[in-house]
Each structure stands twice: as structure tokens, then as C-alpha cells.
Amino acid sequence: MKRTLNCLSKKLLITIVAFLALGVSAFAQNVSISGTVIDSDGLPLPGVNVVEKGTTNGTITQISGEYLINVPADGTLVFSFIGYEDQVVLVNGKKVIDIQLEESSIGLDEVVAVGYGVKKRSVVTGSISSLDSKDILQSRPADINQAFTGRAAGVVVSQSSGQPGSSPKITIRGVGTNGNSNPLYVIDGLPMDDMNSVNPNDIESLQVLKDATSAAIYGARAANGVILITTKKGKKGETTLTYDGFYGVQSAFNQPDLLNTDEYLMLMKEYYANDGTAYPDAMPTQNMGIDTDWLGVIASSAPVQEHNVTATMGSEKGSVLLSLGYRNQDGIIGGDFEKSFFKRYNARMNANLDINENVSIGANINFTHIDKGAIGTGTNGYNPVYYGLLMDPTTPVYGDGYVAADEKGYGTTGVPFTRMWNPMSFMDVTGNGFNRSERIYGNTYAKITFLKDFVLKTDLAANFNNGRSRSFSPIYYHNVSNYSDVNKVTQNSDRSTFWQWENTLTYTKKIGDHHITALVGTSASQNTYERLGGSRVGYPAEADTNDNFWWLNSGNIEGATNYGEANPVHTISSYFGRLSYNYQEKYMAEFVMRRDGSSNFGPKDRYAVFPGVSFGWNVSNEDFWNIENFDKLKFRASWGQNGNEAISPFSYTSTIANDRNYTLGNGSVITGSSPSNLVNPNVRWETSEQLNIGADMVFYNGKLRVSMDYYTKTTQDLLFKRTVEAVRGNSAPYYNAGEIKNSGLEFQIGYNFKVGEVDFAVNANASYLKNEVTKVGNDNGYEEGGYWKGSTNVTRMEEGKAIGYFYGYKIDGIFQNQADINSAMYPNAQPGDFKWHDTNGDGEITPDDRTDIGNPWPKWTYGMTINAKWNGLDFSMMMHGKADVDIWMAQYRDEAYGRANLPSFWLDRWQQAGDNNGVPRLSITDANDNVRKASEFHVRDASFFKIGTIELGYTLPERWTKAVNLSRVRIYTAADNVAVFTKYPMFDPEVGAMEGNILNTGLDYSMYPQARTIRFGLNVGF
């Protein structure tokens, strides 16, 4: 009772004082206050709120950081800006007040985007990782997926190709499906999957919703995690113009070390001599002074440049942002032939307008044009990197009269191996063509505030894409195995449309110490896709050099092919709601529910409900909390379910195919129709269920920040096609018949400190992942996966193992002498051959001895960024790595050995008793199947540590820039892909799923290498 009276007394006293202060201020004489607000580096801060304390009288700083405000002479000013500590200053009759704001180190008051709203991080109860525009642009990526590299715990980036325009694969908290494992991308409320069309320079922030409750508001498509993209917007009362651009030079790095001519000749001869076989006449016998470094020949320096101009205009009623972007990147392989490139043109407009104090409207419209070309990559046996690995060093790039050459003058080899193709010749005659696309996407909204606490918002979004491509294959003859006697043009066009209409009603209320936010909403979306194309042959010789002939009507109608198809209309209908509650920001709770219906499923299983619940406790907000240097402590816990409906439309039934050929009894063939696939009307949603427990801590007045999370995520009712007998004559239907479990730990640490006049900021993260298939619907308990050599399955999805684990023979060492060999188990072995492991102990080496020999998923991923600032100079370095991860070297086929060039580790082959470097003896017959067997010899440790980006910049002093009417000028130089430390002997160990199938992850078919880039950039504010 006494405590209650004290509280009432305090409130009454505060009310009286406030009333008296207002009364006095009404008679106080106003003065005009001006000044400049700067940051810790002395740079002007635009957009800072300057408010007379206790009133609504306020203004914001201009681009120069300057402000002007009229307040009472004895008033108090409050300066506030997101990400900075507030400052409260007494006027005391002063007319000029200059302020320097310090960056906020606590960080828990940061506002982060959540589904259909924003929330203070201090009351967030889920697991959300955030990147701001500085993080995104540090390495100047072409694709925002690249920005996540090493910066967000639990987010794994797998770069399957370094070719311009390629997009890395993102997985969040492990792979939970054998189908489409991509996260859901939502850009300003619009779901979208083509990140190449998004200019990273337009992005303000990225939020990764990792736990089930945070993502549950997106229900049906959130099983693989959600990435929220918030783009930049103009600010009220502010007009700015900025330029941001760079020019860089790319080059190859970390290339494999291959045999030179002398080493190649030595090893090739040894292959045949070890077996007592005559050395073929077609093979080279001596060094003729030619030593071609094929990987060095096909790679060259290539330019990359990007330029962005952004203008903002603002008034008291609203703001407009206009931006233009241009990126032009050539490939380090194929760029010289103008066949590997990526050009992107972006235009964007964002507008927001307050009609009155209750009604506001806005629009966000984006246009992207992309023009790109690509050489073959990622397919075993048909790309220049593959040929660069295999081609013998004794063959020159160009014939010279003494060495054989093809019709275009490229050197040809005499080595009797059909896959030996001069890679320069290959790039000359293939990859002729281009892909172009235009995309318009965006949204428009209206927002109405009524009854003070209610906000009704309606949002209509759309995404239109038109693509087209043309390619030309000429007549050519390189050698007896690689030629074409017809020329051909293929022409395609495609079109996709998507629209989405969403309506939300938000209620926000604070009653004493209780804060409630409720959200209900509806969502409806539809997308369609269609394409058509064809091909013709018989083009005139001029077509080789003139792309004006690369049209269908320029070829012969005989032998023409054509097609046209469209996907069925795909629709999703949804209802969702969320209730958030907190008491004094001590105790938080959130409840989420979403009901989705998808046209991909039959009427019986079309709808599903995805719930989520989370709780939080800010322990440090308790009255008893008083631990020195321990500022903040928050515990979080969440549970929820998310869905996945990423299968083909009408998968619950069968469409009719009209291209079936039937042979009648008299031998004649007629065309008919039949069902495309077998039917399973009971196919339903995949469901991912996740539990997350986490803690956030802040120490030493915000200098040290720590976050930790533990999670378990189980995906049930996997959508996949079982293997069916070929005699069925139809494709298999989709079934719900599998389960995958991912569990792990995540750590994020940030430390800000100062040494003398130098400010440092260090951020690090690490995550541990265990992936396990707990159920497969097949009777045998496994599903075959990716191929090596085109016909041998070397990955599997099997119960009790990681998805897509490497499957093959283990090796117990190398036989050192004849006495070591058990002739019954190894009838063809000789000293120097592998000793195969008898896994099942039956005394024989058979296919049943194949077992788990590697994991393509890293158990540990980690990253670190270091930033430093001093007197206008700034320095940053980003590092990242993966540990306990394997790669299958799939570049070499059986027939390559004894003919093709080899990596230099083959110099460590077994030659005599005592040699035991893990490399067997050389044998052209390979009777023991040392290289033919799918074994752990082909699996290599791909753990690595990479110095990703180093950047050094300088911001010119304000007095210099003001002299030329500029607000800010910064120049910088940077290097990307600086160095990589790894045991993997081939190209960059960051190998993903090279052909799109998740079960192909970690199979290195000879990837297009990533490039090292040296950049020089300029940022100018007007």
C-alpha cells in the first residue's frame, strides 16, 4: 500500500511540474537556434530529429547536418537519430549549438523488420540476423546473396560458379528438403526469387528470419527460412543527390597446380611401363620446347564496373527517391571472346505521401534490364575449364606449321582421348548468343489510421518478366571427336506474371506498462508462365560472323523444330494473424497463425495451418538486476511450424501428354495421348517444425554484444518422387514420405573499442550444424543421388546419414609388397595398389562394401569483419571459412588416366616400398580399380579459410568538400577474394549444387572459378 501511494505521489508531482513548465514556457521569449550535427568522424548527419523537449516543436537536419529551430531561451533540445545515442542539451540563451552524436553501442533498441511490420530488437523473441547497407556493399556484390558470406550465423553461402550473372545458393539452418531448398525472398512485401534483378545499392537492410515463429507469418513458403529485403526510401524534408561507383580488374586466383611438360611425359610413360604395355605412337615422347599452361591460357584479366546515382526529395508531406544503376562485368574465362558477361540496368522510384494525418499512400516501382552471355560450365565434359584441366601441355595454343592445327589455327593434340579439345577452340565455336530480359516489379499501397490505435493497409504488388534468347552453333571441325557438320540457330522467348494483393489491420495499444500489438491479414497471389521457341539449320556462311542471321526465318524450314508451353495458373490464398505482448519490456510473448491454401494440392489437402509461439524475458530490466559491466540479458524461446509447397502444379493428378508415339502391328507409328505421370491424390504440404532457444547479452556499456542460439528443425512429409519401374511407362507421382532433422548452435559476437584516436569494431559469428535424414519413404531406406562419370551414383539420401552424403569404398592404405596382398580378396592387386576396406566383413570386395565416405555439408561455418576509423581514414576486412566439409573431385573419368594432364599431387604416387602419400601407383589397365572405383580417393577435405575483402578509404575533410558545394567525398580501394587457405587441390573449395539438384551438392565437375578483384571507388554527396 505504501509503495502504491509513493508511485501515485511521484506521478502527481511529475504532472504538476510538467503543468508549471508548460505555463512558464508559454510566456518565455523564443530564440532562434542554429547549428550543425556531426557523427564521430566529423561528418554531417542528415535527418537527425531536433525536438524541443516535452513538445511537438521540432525539425530535422539537412544534408549538410545543419538545422534551425525556434525555442524558448530556457528550453531544452533533444537530438535523436536511429543508431546513435540521444543527446539532451539546455539552451541557456545560446543561439548556436553544434552537436556530435555517438553511435549507439547497446544495439537492443535497434528497429528491425519483421513480417508485415517492424519491432524493437529489445522485444524480439525470435532469431533474426540483420545486415545493413554498409555490410551489403562492402564487397560490391552483383547479387545480394553474396553479401551474406561470412556475415550471418546459420546462413551458408555456396558459390557454384564464378561466372558473371551466376547466383550463389543460400541455405538457412541446413537443408530440410530434397526438393527446392531456397529461402523465401520478400522485397518490400513482394515475394521474389530472381535476386539478379535487384540492385544491392538500392537496399537499406536485410533481415533473415531463421526461427519458425518469426517466419510463421509467411506460413506456406517459409520452411527454408525467410529473407526480408527493405529498400532505401527518401526522407521528409530532405533533398539529396549521391553518386556511388567503382571500376575494377578481375583475375584468376587459386588455380590448380598441374603437371608441366617434363612431369607429364614422365608420368605418362610410367603408366604404360608399370604394366609392361607399349607406349602408344600417338602419345608425345619428348619435350619439343612447348609447355602450355592451359588454365593460364583460358583465363585473362577482365573489367568490372558499377555506377549508381540516387536522388531524394522530401517535404513535410512526403518524400520521393529516384535511382539509376548500371553494372557491367566480363568473365575471366570467355570474356575475351565476348561470351561471358553480365550487364544490368536498373531504374527505381519510391514515393510516399501523407494525404492528411490519417491517410498515406506510397508506391515502389523497379525496372531491370539484363543482358548476359555464358560459356558452358558445371557439366562434366563440356566446358573450357574441364578441357583446360585435361589438355596435355605438349600441345601449343596455335599450330605453327610443325604442330597440327584445326581449320581456325588452334593447336590439336595427338593424344588418343576423345575428350581432349583445345579449350580456346571450344570457346571460339560454342557459347555464341545471349540472354536478355526485362523485369518490372513493385507495389503500391494505401494506409489509413483510425480510432487512434488502428491502421488499415492495403498493398497491391506485381512482378512482370519477359525473357528472350538466341544462340548460334557454327559448322566446325577440331578433330575426329569434336566437330559439327551443320549450323543451327535456337531462339526462345518466355513470359511470367505474378500479382499479390494483401490487406492488414494492425492494432497497437499501450495500457500502463502493458504493450499490445495485434495484426490480422489476408493475402491472395497468382502467377503464370509461358514460353515458346524453335530451331532451324542450314544457315549461310555469313552467319558465322554476323548475328543478324541468328533468327529462325534465316534458316531452312526442313528439319525445323518448335515448341510452345505454359504452366497452369498457380494460386495461393492465405489468412494470418499475430498477437505480440510485452510488459515493461521485461516479459514478451508472441502468437502467430497462418492458414494457406495452394492450387498445387488437391481439394482434400489444399489448406494447411502453420502456428508459432515465442516468449522472451529481459532479465536485465528487472529491479534486482545490478551486475557491474553486464548491461543487458535477454532469454528467448520459440516453437513453430512452416510449410513448403514447391512442387509442380496439378501434382495431385495427371495431365495428358499429346506427344506419345505408338507402334501398331503393321509397323506404322502414330501419335497419341496418355497420362504424363502416375497419380497420388493425397499429396500434401511439407511441414518444418522448429524449436529455438536463445540469449542476447550486452557488456561494458554496450561495447561487447553476444548472441547465442540452439535450434532443432525437423521437416516432415518430404515431397519427392519415388523410383518406379520403367515398365510402368509413366513418371512417378509426388509422395509425402521422408523426414530430415537439422540441429545446431549459433554464436554472434560484436566488440567496439577505441585505441587512442582509432575506433575499432569487430564482429564475428560461428555456427555448428548436424544434418540427418531420419526417414526415407522407399522400402530400401535410401534414394540414389548425384552421378560421377555420368553413370555412377556417388551421393545418397539415406536414413541415419546426412542428406547427399558421399557413398563409396573406404581405403585401408596401399599395399607395400606382395606379402601384404590377400590374393583371394584382391586377385588383381599389386604393390602400390589400394587396399579396399571390407565393410561388411564377408571376405570379399563387392558393391555391398560401399559406405559413408564424406559429407558435403560443413559442420562449422564462421566469419569475421574488422573495421577501423581514424581522422577520415577507414579500413575494413572480411574473413570467412568452413570446416569439416568434403568435396568429390568429379573432373576425371576412367579413360583420362594415362592420357590427360593431371594435378601435381600425382607426383607423390607410389613408386617403391615405403611410399605412402595416399596416391596409388600408375597403371594404364588399372586392374585393381584404383581410380575406377568410387572411393574416398576422390573425396577431399574442402575446409578453408578465406580473406574475402580488404578495403581502405578516405573521406575528405568537410572544409574541402564545402568549398566545392559537396556534402561528402570518399575515395577507396579494395580487393576481393584476397587469399584462400585450404588443402583442396583444385579450384575454390566453395562448391555448391552445381546442377541445381540438392543431391549434387559437393560434386566438383570443374566449376567456373571465382575471380580476385582490385577495385577503385568513389562516393560523392551533393
Side-chain angles (χ1 to χ4, degrees), residues 314-344:
S315 67
E316 294 181 358
K317 284 288 188 178
S319 63
V320 176
L321 180 146
L322 301 173
S323 69
L324 296 173
Y326 168 71
R327 185 181 180 96
N328 188 351
Q329 181 180 7
D330 287 343
I332 58 173
I333 298 177
D336 284 351
F337 289 90
E338 298 183 354
K339 295 181 179 180
S340 178
F341 59 88
F342 177 77
K343 296 179 182 179
R344 180 177 62 206

Side-chain angles (χ1 to χ4, degrees), residues 15 29 64-65 109 169 221 252 315 346 406 432 548 607 721 726 750 826 887 915 1002:
T15 303
Q29 182 179 1
S64 61
D109 291 330
K169 171 77 175 178
R221 295 159 290 178
S315 67
N346 291 89
D406 65 14
N432 303 296
N548 289 318
Y607 286 89
K721 292 186 176 183
Y826 309 99
I887 288 179
D915 292 344

